[in-house]
Amino acid sequence: MSETRARQTYHHGDLGPALLAAGIELAREGGPDAVVLRETTRRVGVSPNAAYRHFADRDALLAAVSDAALATLATAIDALFDAIPQGTRESVARAQLRAVGTGYVAFALDEPGLFRTAFFVSDNLERSSAASKSGPSGRSPLELLTVALDAYVASGIMPADRRPKAEFLAWSSVHGFALLCIDGPLRTLPRDQADAVTQRVIDMVEAGFTAP
Amino acid sequence: MSETRARQTYHHGDLGPALLAAGIELAREGGPDAVVLRETTRRVGVSPNAAYRHFADRDALLAAVSDAALATLATAIDALFDAIPQGTRESVARAQLRAVGTGYVAFALDEPGLFRTAFFVSDNLERSSAASKSGPSGRSPLELLTVALDAYVASGIMPADRRPKAEFLAWSSVHGFALLCIDGPLRTLPRDQADAVTQRVIDMVEAGFTAP
DNA sequence: TCCACATGTGAACACTGTAAACACTGCCAT
DNA sequence: ATGGCAGTGTTTACAGTGTTCACATGTGGA
């Protein structure tokens, strides 16, 4: 928004971040496919090739946008973590897991374009601990989930032998549900109902972790 | 494969299905992005615009490929259904749910390109009962899941008040897990381990349906 | 001061989807 | 048999994309 008018200097001065911001806006509006290199530079008021001084490819730009989207998600979950009231270790652990799931789906519903972009780049969860994907606490979404599950074990809710790969069980359910809500058959589900079913999804995950 | 050599007649004679087959092959090799209209016609040995006599646009071709992929998935699950041994209503119901989940993830692992294409077209699960998406039994994957869950209620495993929207809980978990395995951090997990975790995902879903 | 280096530009290429006008062919009614 | 007509495939063309190469323009450090 600060660069809509034609700039006066030949050099932009802050092109990298400006391109990233424009890319994020495009992703917000239309998902990963919408982050088109030429359109990004157009919005910033610069020639298409200028982008290549700051990003190797279109894919590199998209990856940076994806990281930013992931960081936004992490920030949203961080906020829910901070709002968890004091209590027993068990109640805190349960609240943390619920916060991750709830924040995750809420982000997908509030920002579907960013959400799809966050998980479009395939290796984005592999090296998922990069700072560029983290919120204020310095933790990526997957790391926040790990925190919650470790608390599950520490507080005795979950037997230790179930802990390995548990994050993937939880992540699968919530991620799949989020996709169903924004792209799939649950697309037309009213928001309040979607929130209610989200809680059932989390209930299911909890049951899977605690049942015999 | 039958049309690799230049055809002799001006008219192809079977272009629609040939284009669909070429599109499926492209999807198998590289997912939805790889089904490129011009490349599809090229493989069939025909000019790009010939496709427009059979498909409204590239999206229509992609939708047809997507339907075919879904039908292939349904066929795979059908086969697992048929292999379920006789038994109590409860054991059959449990085996059916497990067959849907197992077949679903196995298809994603065996044919990641087709799997991604199947669920790329967004409205593909909305009007999900179309015959073009079904296997030999005439049921689409989502309908097969519905059958299994109805059997859960009928055999008394699942309380009837939990039945509404239960297919979405199950679908979320399995679909999310499949995505994790082909695109996400579980991409490098050896096949046998992936199969093992798949069973844990299904265990979790079962627990969520039966627990208090 | 001046010049090396970083940064932005221009023209060009190969690709894509798609539209409009044209060409060929097989079939049906005369 | 013989038109002609509807269906099918082709040609040409255009707008849009990512990307490369050569060039222009500033800016900071010696």
Side-chain angles (χ1 to χ4, degrees):
Chain A
M1 168 146 338
S2 59
E3 284 300 329
T4 302
R5 63 195 179 286
R7 68 187 188 285
Q8 305 299 351
T9 65
Y10 185 90
H11 282 337
H12 180 284
D14 200 35
L15 188 49
L19 287 172
L20 180 57
I24 292 173
E25 193 51 36
L26 286 170
R28 190 198 307 278
E29 295 166 10
D33 287 348
V35 34
V36 168
L37 195 145
R38 286 178 111 108
E39 173 64 18
T40 308
T41 59
R42 215 173 284 137
R43 291 201 174 192
V44 177
V46 109
S47 84
N49 294 6
Y52 287 88
R53 302 294 179 189
H54 302 269
F55 299 95
D57 290 284
R58 185 216 171 221
D59 275 355
L61 170 61
L62 189 57
V65 173
S66 173
D67 282 8
L70 227 35
T72 306
L73 170 57
T75 302
I77 299 178
D78 270 352
L80 293 180
F81 263 58
D82 293 343
I84 294 174
Q86 304 279 4
T88 64
R89 285 201 305 177
E90 178 177 330
S91 74
V92 169
R94 295 198 124 98
Q96 283 182 338
L97 183 63
R98 202 157 287 268
V100 174
T102 304
Y104 196 93
V105 176
F107 181 73
L109 293 172
D110 290 339
E111 296 284 5
L114 286 183
F115 180 83
R116 283 205 300 268
T117 307
F119 298 106
F120 187 77
V121 180
S122 52
D123 67 335
N124 222 341
L125 279 146
E126 198 132 344
R127 33 177 203 93
S128 66
S129 56
S132 58
K133 303 176 171 64
S134 303
S137 73
R139 296 195 185 96
S140 70
L142 192 51
E143 290 170 331
L144 288 164
L145 175 57
T146 300
V147 167
L149 291 179
D150 286 345
Y152 254 62
V153 173
S155 66
I157 309 176
M158 180 165 81
D161 64 330
R162 296 206 176 190
R163 179 64 185 80
K165 296 201 170 59
E167 45 268 74
F168 299 118
L169 301 193
W171 199 88
S172 292
S173 305
V174 174
H175 185 69
F177 181 71
L179 287 180
L180 246 63
C181 285
I182 62 178
D183 279 334
L186 266 44
R187 211 180 333 168
T188 59
L189 199 67
R191 177 59 185 266
D192 56 344
Q193 289 191 42
D195 289 338
V197 182
T198 301
Q199 297 308 310
R200 287 180 61 192
V201 172
I202 300 174
D203 291 342
M204 175 182 73
V205 173
E206 272 200 312
F209 287 160
T210 55
Chain B
M1 167 149 335
S2 60
E3 284 301 329
T4 303
R5 64 195 177 286
R7 72 186 185 287
Q8 303 301 348
T9 66
Y10 184 89
H11 282 340
H12 181 283
D14 201 35
L15 187 50
L19 288 172
L20 179 57
I24 291 173
E25 194 50 36
L26 286 170
R28 188 197 310 277
E29 295 166 10
D33 287 349
V35 36
V36 169
L37 196 145
R38 285 178 109 109
E39 174 62 19
T40 307
T41 60
R42 214 174 286 137
R43 292 200 173 193
V44 178
V46 109
S47 83
N49 289 17
Y52 287 89
R53 301 292 181 192
H54 302 269
F55 299 95
D57 40 12
R58 185 217 168 220
D59 276 355
L61 170 61
L62 189 57
V65 173
S66 172
D67 281 9
L70 226 35
T72 306
L73 170 57
T75 302
I77 298 178
D78 269 352
L80 293 180
F81 262 57
D82 292 344
I84 294 175
Q86 304 281 3
T88 65
R89 285 200 306 177
E90 179 177 330
S91 75
V92 170
R94 294 197 124 99
Q96 283 182 339
L97 182 63
R98 203 158 286 269
V100 174
T102 304
Y104 196 95
V105 176
F107 181 74
L109 293 171
D110 291 337
E111 294 284 5
L114 286 183
F115 181 83
R116 283 205 300 268
T117 307
F119 298 107
F120 187 77
V121 179
S122 54
D123 67 334
N124 221 342
L125 280 146
E126 197 131 343
R127 34 178 203 91
S128 66
S129 56
S132 59
K133 303 177 169 65
S134 304
S137 74
R139 296 196 186 93
S140 70
L142 193 51
E143 289 169 333
L144 288 164
L145 175 57
T146 299
V147 166
L149 292 179
D150 287 344
Y152 254 62
V153 173
S155 66
I157 309 176
M158 180 165 81
D161 64 328
R162 296 208 175 187
R163 179 64 186 78
K165 296 201 171 59
E167 45 268 76
F168 299 119
L169 300 194
W171 199 87
S172 293
S173 305
V174 173
H175 184 70
F177 181 71
L179 287 180
L180 245 65
C181 286
I182 63 178
D183 279 334
L186 265 43
R187 212 178 335 167
T188 59
L189 198 67
R191 177 59 186 265
D192 56 344
Q193 289 191 41
D195 289 338
V197 183
T198 301
Q199 298 306 310
R200 286 180 61 193
V201 172
I202 300 174
D203 291 342
M204 176 183 73
V205 173
E206 273 199 312
F209 287 161
T210 56

